Amino acid sequence: MRSTLFPLAATLAVQVFVSMAVVTVPVLAPAVAAETGVSASYVGIFIALVYGASMVASLVSGPLVQRFGAIRLSQACLVACAAGLACVATGTPALFVVGAIFLGAGYGPVTPASSHILARSTPPERLSLVFSLKQTGVPLGGALAGAVVPTLVLWGGWRAAALAVAGACLATLALAQPLREVLDADRDPARRLAASSLAKPLRYTLGDSLLRRLAFCSFFFAALQLCLITFLVTHLTLNVGISLVEAGLMLAAAQVGGVVARVGWGVIADRWGRPMRLLGLLAIAMGAAAVATGRFTPQWPLAAVALACAAFGATAIGWNGVYLAQVARLAPPGKAGDATGGSLVFTYAGVLFGPPAFTFLVGGGVSYASAFVVLAVPAVACGLWLIWRDGSRNEPGRGAPVKLENG
């Protein structure tokens, strides 16, 4: 376990602050809108730009990991996220676009880099748990953004809040440096970076039927997940009538639900041995939670809102660790980073699609409640598909519990 602890701690810390950097902008959206006059719903377009850049960056991450090392690439990601928040803090619309691209370039490679490290250092029987623990960095970062950033806004304004999170990213970069020599020992500085290498991650994903299925479903899961993260604060402040600080705490409740659930789902996946079926059940549950969230009204008690948000987070945010562990398990030996990068193209494409679709629906006069339902339907359909195919007798080995070994 000791050989897993330090890689897990390093990758978790990077994931926390990169995720916090990305979620900081949706939390700031109401304050930015009040100063600039731009509708807060346009944060969906910003997030789409972030994940569009992430999608491209995830494709190039495999070769970059192999040449420079996973820790060095992770450090570069932290710098990119800090630069993105600095651009946002200027308040200049054109630099918002640049900031979104920087944030995406920083967010995209972090997961393939961490998968490369953890796939080498984790025993197969603990793969889902360790990946789920690492992926708690995503909701932990979101919870920090929801709980801390509104307070920073009250103390120093939204620009200072953005710069404070940027500073935290740079501090994490420095803390990761002592681990670089050990964790990047397998890097190959002589490896050439060729345009042809961009296709390899997609080939790994598209060449395996289970990876294809996982990647396709992750498109719709991620779309719903990012609609929760992106629009929850705005939905609660505009439609439910609670304060920005209270809405930030509700987002924190959703993220904490995701943190706790990711660990729990990882344990269940390892013990049950049916990660595909578990993902299907989570998809159905996240659809139900989305419907409940859309039905919030000012009459709902705050405790009930918090409970529903936590349930939404436990499902719509909690699935990623099981998903990524299964991708790494199915990857060719030594290619977990490439397989993860190829699968994340579909995942980030869902993120690219979800928030703009939600923005388009709301802009067209659809209520927030109906928009959440529209995004929930395909996720639930994918969940039913995963459960059905997991129990199919027409695919050898697909109906049996997944063996905890690579391939």
Side-chain angles (χ1 to χ4, degrees):
M1 184 66 183
R2 183 180 178 85
S3 63
T4 304
L5 181 59
F6 290 110
L8 175 60
T11 54
L12 176 60
V14 173
Q15 188 72 72
V16 165
F17 287 99
V18 168
S19 299
M20 184 181 185
V22 173
V23 180
T24 289
V25 178
V27 174
L28 292 175
V32 175
E35 180 179 316
T36 64
V38 178
S39 172
S41 68
Y42 281 95
V43 71
I45 305 300
F46 182 94
I47 292 297
L49 290 172
V50 170
Y51 283 93
S54 295
M55 183 169 60
V56 176
S58 69
L59 277 177
V60 304
S61 58
L64 290 175
V65 164
Q66 292 165 21
R67 177 167 179 171
F68 299 107
I71 288 295
R72 180 62 82 222
L73 180 58
S74 298
Q75 290 175 311
C77 290
L78 289 163
V79 172
C81 287
L85 288 175
C87 290
V88 170
T90 65
T92 304
L95 287 180
F96 284 174
V97 176
V98 176
I101 294 172
F102 269 121
L103 284 166
Y107 191 83
V110 164
T111 299
S114 62
S115 292
H116 177 85
I117 293 172
L118 296 177
R120 292 188 298 113
S121 61
T122 305
E125 67 274 11
R126 290 201 293 265
L127 204 62
S128 291
L129 174 59
V130 169
F131 271 71
S132 294
L133 283 168
K134 196 283 295 184
Q135 282 304 111
T136 61
V138 177
L140 275 174
L144 279 173
V148 174
V149 170
T151 302
L152 293 175
V153 172
L154 293 177
W155 284 351
W158 67 268
R159 299 170 196 270
L163 292 176
V165 178
C169 289
L170 296 179
T172 306
L173 178 155
L175 292 173
Q177 181 59 29
L179 299 173
R180 203 234 168 180
E181 183 177 353
V182 173
L183 296 184
D184 284 357
D186 65 335
R187 68 186 184 278
D188 180 11
R191 179 182 173 87
R192 297 183 61 185
L193 299 176
S196 60
S197 64
L198 295 179
K200 288 183 179 179
L202 281 175
R203 283 204 297 267
Y204 290 131
T205 299
L206 297 176
D208 182 274
S209 62
L210 282 176
L211 284 175
R212 282 199 308 272
R213 192 175 306 149
L214 281 169
F216 178 81
C217 291
S218 77
F219 175 95
F220 296 103
F221 299 168
L224 186 57
Q225 176 182 346
L226 262 291
C227 286
L228 163 64
I229 295 171
T230 304
F231 295 103
L232 181 62
V233 170
T234 302
H235 173 47
L236 292 173
T237 54
L238 294 183
N239 301 323
V240 186
I242 67 176
S243 71
L244 177 61
V245 171
E246 289 174 328
L249 290 174
M250 296 304 103
L251 177 59
Q255 300 285 9
V256 169
V259 170
V260 175
R262 285 190 181 197
V263 178
W265 303 142
V267 171
I268 291 171
D270 281 337
R271 293 186 177 180
W272 189 18
R274 287 188 178 272
M276 301 288 266
R277 182 164 295 187
L278 177 59
L279 286 169
L281 293 172
L282 290 177
I284 296 170
M286 74 175 75
V291 173
T293 300
R295 294 180 64 85
F296 289 160
T297 67
Q299 287 71 45
W300 276 57
L302 203 58
V305 172
L307 183 62
C309 289
F312 201 172
T315 51
I317 298 174
W319 60 277
N320 302 71
V322 176
Y323 162 68
L324 291 169
Q326 183 67 355
V327 169
R329 188 178 289 121
L330 294 169
K335 298 296 183 181
D338 284 310
T340 302
S343 299
L344 286 176
V345 169
F346 293 86
T347 310
Y348 290 148
V351 175
L352 187 65
F353 164 81
F358 198 103
T359 298
F360 175 79
L361 290 169
V362 172
V366 174
S367 68
Y368 275 70
S370 297
F372 273 118
V373 171
V374 170
L375 271 296
V377 168
V380 171
C382 283
L384 294 171
W385 184 40
L386 286 177
I387 293 171
W388 173 62
R389 296 303 292 177
D390 183 68
S392 173
R393 299 302 178 184
N394 297 323
E395 294 182 280
R398 266 52 173 180
V402 177
K403 294 181 180 180
L404 296 173
E405 58 189 14
N406 217 1

